[in-house]
Amino acid sequence: MADAALALNQVLSSVETLEVDKKTKQEDANGDGSSSSVQVTCFTDLVDDVTFHFQIIRLENQIYAWIGCNSSKLGRLYAAAPTRPSNSVSVSSILGGVSDNTGAGIARRLVLKTGLNVIVACNIPKNSPMLEANAEKMLVEKLISLGYTRPKSS
Protein backbone atom coordinates (compact mmCIF):
# COMPACT_ATOMS: atom_id res chain seq x y z
CA MET A 1 0.00 0.00 0.00
CA ALA A 2 2.87 2.41 0.79
CA ASP A 3 4.40 1.72 -2.64
CA ALA A 4 1.15 2.67 -4.35
CA ALA A 5 0.96 5.95 -2.41
CA LEU A 6 4.57 6.75 -3.30
CA ALA A 7 3.92 6.04 -6.98
CA LEU A 8 0.81 8.24 -6.91
CA ASN A 9 2.77 11.12 -5.33
CA GLN A 10 5.45 10.81 -8.03
CA VAL A 11 2.84 10.92 -10.79
CA LEU A 12 1.12 13.94 -9.25
CA SER A 13 4.38 15.86 -8.84
CA SER A 14 5.36 15.15 -12.45
CA VAL A 15 1.96 16.41 -13.63
CA GLU A 16 2.45 19.61 -11.59
CA THR A 17 5.86 20.04 -13.21
CA LEU A 18 4.38 19.63 -16.67
CA GLU A 19 1.73 22.23 -15.92
CA VAL A 20 4.36 24.73 -14.77
CA ASP A 21 6.44 24.05 -17.90
CA LYS A 22 3.38 24.49 -20.11
CA LYS A 23 2.57 27.84 -18.46
CA THR A 24 6.15 29.01 -18.97
CA LYS A 25 6.05 28.04 -22.65
CA GLN A 26 2.74 29.84 -23.10
CA GLU A 27 4.09 33.00 -21.45
CA ASP A 28 7.20 32.82 -23.63
CA ALA A 29 5.02 32.39 -26.72
CA ASN A 30 3.13 35.56 -25.80
CA GLY A 31 6.41 37.42 -26.12
CA ASP A 32 5.78 39.58 -23.09
CA GLY A 33 9.15 38.66 -21.60
CA SER A 34 7.62 38.56 -18.15
CA SER A 35 8.48 34.92 -17.52
CA SER A 36 11.89 34.06 -16.17
CA SER A 37 12.64 30.43 -16.78
CA VAL A 38 14.98 28.33 -14.72
CA GLN A 39 17.34 26.12 -16.70
CA VAL A 40 18.96 23.10 -15.06
CA THR A 41 21.88 21.24 -16.62
CA CYS A 42 23.56 18.19 -15.09
CA PHE A 43 26.52 16.28 -16.48
CA THR A 44 29.34 13.98 -15.42
CA ASP A 45 32.83 13.73 -16.85
CA LEU A 46 35.86 11.52 -16.22
CA VAL A 47 39.37 13.02 -16.26
CA ASP A 48 42.48 11.10 -15.21
CA ASP A 49 40.43 8.44 -13.36
CA VAL A 50 38.58 11.12 -11.39
CA THR A 51 34.82 11.44 -11.82
CA PHE A 52 33.44 14.98 -11.75
CA HIS A 53 29.73 15.64 -11.32
CA PHE A 54 28.26 19.03 -12.25
CA GLN A 55 24.92 20.75 -11.86
CA ILE A 56 24.27 24.21 -13.29
CA ILE A 57 21.11 26.11 -12.44
CA ARG A 58 20.64 29.27 -14.49
CA LEU A 59 18.31 31.82 -12.95
CA GLU A 60 17.45 35.23 -14.39
CA ASN A 61 20.50 37.10 -13.04
CA GLN A 62 22.41 34.34 -11.29
CA ILE A 63 24.12 31.02 -11.85
CA TYR A 64 24.33 28.25 -9.27
CA ALA A 65 27.02 25.66 -10.00
CA TRP A 66 27.76 22.51 -8.04
CA ILE A 67 30.97 20.55 -8.58
CA GLY A 68 31.36 17.13 -6.98
CA CYS A 69 34.54 15.08 -7.13
CA ASN A 70 33.97 11.31 -6.69
CA SER A 71 30.94 11.93 -4.46
CA SER A 72 27.61 13.71 -4.33
CA LYS A 73 28.30 15.76 -1.19
CA LEU A 74 27.56 19.49 -1.30
CA GLY A 75 30.98 20.69 -0.13
CA ARG A 76 31.87 24.30 0.58
CA LEU A 77 29.52 27.00 -0.68
CA TYR A 78 30.71 30.34 -2.04
CA ALA A 79 28.86 33.43 -3.23
CA ALA A 80 30.51 35.82 -5.66
CA ALA A 81 29.25 39.03 -7.21
CA PRO A 82 30.59 41.90 -9.27
CA THR A 83 31.25 45.04 -7.22
CA ARG A 84 31.00 48.58 -8.46
CA PRO A 85 32.51 51.00 -9.33
CA SER A 86 35.85 49.18 -9.56
CA ASN A 87 34.52 46.18 -11.57
CA SER A 88 36.17 43.76 -9.18
CA VAL A 89 34.62 40.64 -7.67
CA SER A 90 33.69 39.97 -4.05
CA VAL A 91 33.65 36.36 -2.84
CA SER A 92 32.34 35.07 0.47
CA SER A 93 32.29 31.61 2.01
CA ILE A 94 28.68 30.87 2.95
CA LEU A 95 28.86 27.27 4.12
CA GLY A 96 31.67 24.96 5.11
CA GLY A 97 33.67 26.84 7.69
CA VAL A 98 36.88 28.70 7.02
CA SER A 99 37.54 29.30 3.35
CA ASP A 100 40.37 27.18 1.98
CA ASN A 101 40.16 28.85 -1.44
CA THR A 102 39.12 25.59 -3.11
CA GLY A 103 36.19 26.86 -5.11
CA ALA A 104 36.54 30.54 -4.20
CA GLY A 105 38.80 31.11 -7.20
CA ILE A 106 36.35 29.30 -9.46
CA ALA A 107 33.50 31.49 -8.21
CA ARG A 108 35.55 34.67 -8.78
CA ARG A 109 36.51 33.71 -12.34
CA LEU A 110 32.94 32.66 -13.20
CA VAL A 111 31.69 36.13 -12.27
CA LEU A 112 34.34 37.66 -14.54
CA LYS A 113 33.32 35.36 -17.42
CA THR A 114 29.55 35.70 -17.01
CA GLY A 115 29.00 39.11 -15.42
CA LEU A 116 26.38 37.47 -13.19
CA ASN A 117 26.11 36.71 -9.49
CA VAL A 118 27.44 33.21 -8.90
CA ILE A 119 26.90 30.63 -6.18
CA VAL A 120 29.40 27.75 -6.29
CA ALA A 121 29.23 24.60 -4.21
CA CYS A 122 32.53 22.81 -4.51
CA ASN A 123 33.46 19.35 -3.23
CA ILE A 124 37.06 19.09 -4.45
CA PRO A 125 39.75 17.84 -2.05
CA LYS A 126 42.02 20.48 -0.51
CA ASN A 127 45.47 21.01 -2.00
CA SER A 128 44.47 19.56 -5.38
CA PRO A 129 45.13 22.39 -7.83
CA MET A 130 45.04 20.12 -10.89
CA LEU A 131 41.63 18.72 -9.93
CA GLU A 132 40.32 22.24 -9.40
CA ALA A 133 41.76 23.41 -12.74
CA ASN A 134 40.24 20.44 -14.60
CA ALA A 135 36.85 20.96 -12.95
CA GLU A 136 36.84 24.67 -13.75
CA LYS A 137 37.83 24.02 -17.36
CA MET A 138 34.96 21.55 -17.84
CA LEU A 139 32.49 23.89 -16.15
CA VAL A 140 33.52 26.90 -18.24
CA GLU A 141 33.35 24.85 -21.46
CA LYS A 142 29.79 23.84 -20.58
CA LEU A 143 28.82 27.43 -19.68
CA ILE A 144 30.18 28.60 -23.04
CA SER A 145 28.25 25.89 -24.91
CA LEU A 146 25.06 26.89 -23.06
CA GLY A 147 25.63 30.56 -23.93
CA TYR A 148 25.92 31.75 -20.32
CA THR A 149 29.21 33.65 -20.74
CA ARG A 150 29.77 37.19 -21.93
CA PRO A 151 31.21 37.62 -25.40
CA LYS A 152 34.89 38.56 -25.37
CA SER A 153 35.50 42.24 -26.00
CA SER A 154 37.51 43.06 -29.09
Side-chain angles (χ1 to χ4, degrees):
M1 187 66 177
D3 292 334
L6 179 63
L8 179 61
N9 283 336
Q10 289 175 342
V11 169
L12 290 176
S13 68
S14 66
V15 170
E16 290 172 8
T17 302
L18 289 174
E19 288 175 5
V20 169
D21 290 344
K22 191 183 294 183
K23 283 181 186 176
T24 301
K25 287 180 184 174
Q26 288 172 350
E27 290 171 358
D28 289 342
N30 293 339
D32 60 5
S34 62
S35 69
S36 59
S37 61
V38 175
Q39 299 167 338
V40 179
T41 305
C42 299
F43 64 101
T44 300
D45 209 344
L46 182 69
V47 176
D48 297 330
D49 297 327
V50 177
T51 303
F52 289 104
H53 305 283
F54 298 88
Q55 181 179 50
I56 302 168
I57 300 175
R58 172 68 158 95
L59 304 168
E60 187 175 354
N61 293 314
Q62 181 175 334
I63 292 176
Y64 166 82
W66 170 74
I67 305 168
C69 179
N70 290 329
S71 79
S72 60
K73 293 182 180 178
L74 179 65
R76 298 185 185 278
L77 188 65
Y78 299 92
T83 55
R84 291 184 183 95
S86 64
N87 291 331
S88 61
V89 178
S90 296
V91 180
S92 180
S93 176
I94 298 174
L95 183 67
V98 179
S99 175
D100 63 1
N101 291 332
T102 303
I106 293 174
R108 177 176 283 110
R109 289 183 291 275
L110 287 180
V111 169
L112 293 172
K113 290 189 181 301
T114 64
L116 301 170
N117 296 330
V118 174
I119 304 290
V120 174
C122 188
N123 185 20
I124 298 175
K126 293 180 187 179
N127 302 321
S128 302
M130 288 308 297
L131 288 178
E132 187 174 354
N134 287 334
E136 181 177 355
K137 180 182 176 188
M138 287 183 279
L139 181 60
V140 168
E141 286 173 355
K142 189 61 150 184
L143 290 172
I144 290 170
S145 73
L146 293 170
Y148 296 164
T149 57
R150 291 193 272 204
K152 291 183 179 179
S153 58
S154 322

